[in-house]
C-alpha cells in the first residue's frame, strides 16, 4: 500500500498539532515490538491518538486511501503483532491512559493506553483487584492485553483477560465506533461480540475503551519453592497438584532459566537444579498454609530435592519477581525466538521432554519457563544473529516446537497471540474449515483488509 505525501498532509491537517508524527527519528520507537522482528519497517506515519475521535479520523482516512493500520499499545508483544509495515499508519494509544473505578458496579472504565499496573493500582485504592497479571504487567497496556487476551501467573486460578472484560468501545474498519457490553455481570443480548474482539490482535477493530471487572483484593499468599534434579519430577508434581488442589500460582523454571535469573539477581537460586517450581496459595488463613503444606507433601513425594515455604511477603515477592524476569534475564544471552506453546496438562511432560530433544537435535540452547499449571510453556530459543548457521538451526527448532505442540493436541500460542511470527502454523493447528471461518469473520468486518495487515491471517 502506498500513499502520496500530499494526501498524508490531509491527515495531519485533520488532527490537532502533534498527533501525527512523520519524522523518521521519532517513528523509530514504533517500528518494532518485543519480538524484535528484523523485517519491521518504518511506517508512513504514527498517529498518537488522544481519544476515540482521533482514532476514528485516522481509520476513516486510512479507509479512504486504502492504507493499512497497525494498532499499538506499549509494544511489549512477543509475536510481532505491533510490527510496523512500510506505508502503514501506526495508531498508538499510549496517550489514552484514563482510568475510572466504580465501586458500586466493581468495574474500571479504562482507556487502552493505561498500563496493566496502573489499573491494578487504581483498583487497589478501593480495596479491589484486577487479576490478569502478565509478567510484563508493569510495562504492557490494557489495549494490548485485550487485543492478545493476555494471560499471566495467577490465571491458573483466576482466568485470563477475557474473563474480566465486560465491555469495549471499538473503532471498526470504516471508522464507526461501537459500544459493546457494559458494566453488567450478565448480558447475553446478541452475539458475544465482546469475546470476539478480545484476542483479535488488532485485526477486527481498534479498542479505545474497556470496561473491566474487578474483584475483592487478593489475600496475601503463602508461597512454596521446590527444586528438582529432574525436569520430569517437576512436571509430575504439577500434574499431581492440579488433580486435587487449586493454587493461585504454579510456575516452572528450568535450569537455563534459573541460571539466567541467578546471573542477574545473585539471590542464591540452586544453579545445579534441573527445575524449580513456584507455587502460591491465596486461600484465607489458615487454609493457605494448609494448602501449601499439601503442595509440599506432593513435591516431596514426587522427588523434590528441596522444598521451602514462606509467608514473608518480601521473600515471596522476590521469588515471583525472579520468575517474572526470566525473559529479560535471557535477553543478554543472544537473540531470542520466543515460543508460547500450550498443551492439555497431561501432555506437559511429553512437551517438555520433546523440547529437550529438539534442542539437542538442532544444537541450540532452549530455556523453558512455564505457566505450568495452565500447561502453557515459553521455550526461549537462544541464537547469535550474526551466525547464519546457528540462526537457521534456531528457526528449525522454533518450527519443530510448534509442530510438537500441535501434535500433542496443543496450541501454538497460549497467550502472546499469533501476530506475524506464528501465522504459518495457524492452519496446522485449527484446520482449513476453522481457518476459513476466521477469514470470513475478518472479511465481514474489514473487507479492505486495512486492520493490522499481515498479522494472524
Ligand atoms: C518480559 C515480558 C514478559 C511477558 N509476559 C507475558 C505474560 O506472562 N503473559 C502474556 O500474556 N504476555 C506476556 N508478554 C507479552 C506482552 O506483554 C503481552 O502480549 C501484552 O498483552 C502486550 O501489550 P502491549 O500493550 O505491549 O501491546 P502491543 O505489543 O503494543 O500490541 C500487541 C497486539 O495488540 C494489538 N493492539 C494493541 N493495542 C490495541 C488496541 N487498542 N486495539 C486493538 N489492537 C491493539 C497490536 O496490534 C498487537 O497485535 C510478555 C512480554 C515481555 C516483554
Amino acid at each position: 500500500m502506498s500513499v502520496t505525501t500530499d494526501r498524508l498532509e490531509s491527515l495531519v491537517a485533520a488532527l490537532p498539532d502533534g498527533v501525527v508524527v512523520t519524522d523518521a527519528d521519532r517513528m523509530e520507537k514504533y517500528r518494532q515490538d518485543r519480538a524484535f522482528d528484523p523485517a519491521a519497517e518504518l511506517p508512513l506515519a504514527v498517529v498518537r491518538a488522544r481519544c476515540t475521535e482521533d482514532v476514528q479520523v485516522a481509520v476513516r482516512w486510512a479507509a479512504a486511501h486504502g492504507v493499512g493500520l497497525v494498532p499499538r499499545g506499549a509494544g511489549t508483544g512477543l509475536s510481532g503483532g505491533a510490527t510496523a509495515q512500510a506505508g502503514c499508519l501506526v495508531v498508538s494509544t499510549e496517550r489514552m491512559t484514563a482510568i475510572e473505578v466504580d465501586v458500586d458496579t466493581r468495574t474500571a472504565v479504562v482507556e487502552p493506553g493505561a498500563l496493566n499496573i496502573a489499573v491494578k493500582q487504581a483498583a487497589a485504592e478501593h480495596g479491589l483487584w484486577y487479576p490478569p497479571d502478565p509478567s510484563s504487567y508493569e510495562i504492557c497496556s490494557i489495549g494490548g492485553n485485550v487485543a492478545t487476551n493476555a494471560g499471566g501467573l495467577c490465571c491458573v486460578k483466576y482466568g485470563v483477560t477475557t474473563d474480566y472484560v465486560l465491555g469495549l468501545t471499538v473503532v471498526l474498519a470504516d471508522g464507526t465506533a461501537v459500544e459493546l457490553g457494559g458494566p453488567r455481570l450478565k448480558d447475553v443480548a446478541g452475539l458475544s461480540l465482546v469475546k470476539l474482539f478480545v484476542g483479535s490482535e488488532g485485526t477486527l477493530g481498534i479498542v479505545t475503551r474497556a470496561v473491566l471487572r474487578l474483584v475483592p483484593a487478593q489475600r496475601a499468599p503463602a508461597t512454596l519453592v521446590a527444586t528438582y534434579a529432574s525436569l520430569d519430577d517437576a512436571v509430575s508434581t504439577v500434574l499431581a497438584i492440579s488433580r486435587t488442589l487449586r493454587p493461585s500460582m504454579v510456575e516452572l523454571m528450568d535450569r537455563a532459566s534459573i541460571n539466567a535469573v541467578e546471573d542477574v539477581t545473585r539471590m542464591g537460586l540452586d544453579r545445579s537444579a534441573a527445575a524449580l517450581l513456584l507455587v502460591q496459595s491465596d486461600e484465607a488463613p489458615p487454609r493457605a498454609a494448609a494448602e501449601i503444606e499439601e503442595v509440599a507433601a506432593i513435591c516431596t513425594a514426587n522427588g523434590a530435592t528441596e522444598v521451602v515455604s514462606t509467608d514473608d511477603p518480601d521473600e515471596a515477592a522476590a521469588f515471583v519477581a525472579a520468575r517474572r524476569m526470566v525473559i529479560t534475564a535471557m535477553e543478554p544471552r543472544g537473540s531470542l525466538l520466543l515460543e508460547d506453546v500450550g498443551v492439555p496438562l497431561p501432555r506437559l511432560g511429553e512437551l517438555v521432554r520433546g523440547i529437550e530433544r529438539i534442542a539437542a537435535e538442532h544444537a541450540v540452547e532452549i530455556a523453558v519457563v512455564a505457566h505450568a499449571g495452565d500447561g502453557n510453556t515459553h521455550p526461549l530459543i537462544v541464537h547469535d544473529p550474526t551466525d547464519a548457521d546457528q540462526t537457521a538451526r534456531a528457526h528449525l527448532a522454533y518450527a519443530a516446537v510448534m509442530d510438537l505442540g500441535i501434535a500433542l493436541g496443543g496450541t501454538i500460542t497460549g497467550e502472546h497471540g499469533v501476530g506475524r511470527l506464528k501465522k504459518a502454523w495457524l492452519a496446522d493447528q485449527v484446520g482449513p474449515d476453522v481457518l476459513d471461518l476466521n477469514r470470513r469473520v475478518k472479511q465481514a468486518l474489514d473487507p479492505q483488509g486495512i486492520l493490522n495487515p499481515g498479522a494472524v491471517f
Side-chain angles (χ1 to χ4, degrees), residues 282-314:
D282 65 353
E283 293 291 314
R287 176 65 197 139
E291 188 170 42
I292 285 299
E293 264 180 44
E294 289 172 48
V295 171
I298 294 172
C299 293
T300 306
N302 282 277
T305 48
E306 192 182 7
V307 182
V308 180
S309 57
T310 179
D311 53 12
D312 174 349
D314 291 339

Side-chain angles (χ1 to χ4, degrees), residues 71 73-77 81 135-136 141 144-145 147-148 150-151 201-202 207 371 415-416 452:
T76 68
S135 286
S136 51
S141 77
N145 292 174
T148 57
E201 301 189 47
V207 173
H371 305 300
E415 57 182 20
H416 296 162
N452 219 353

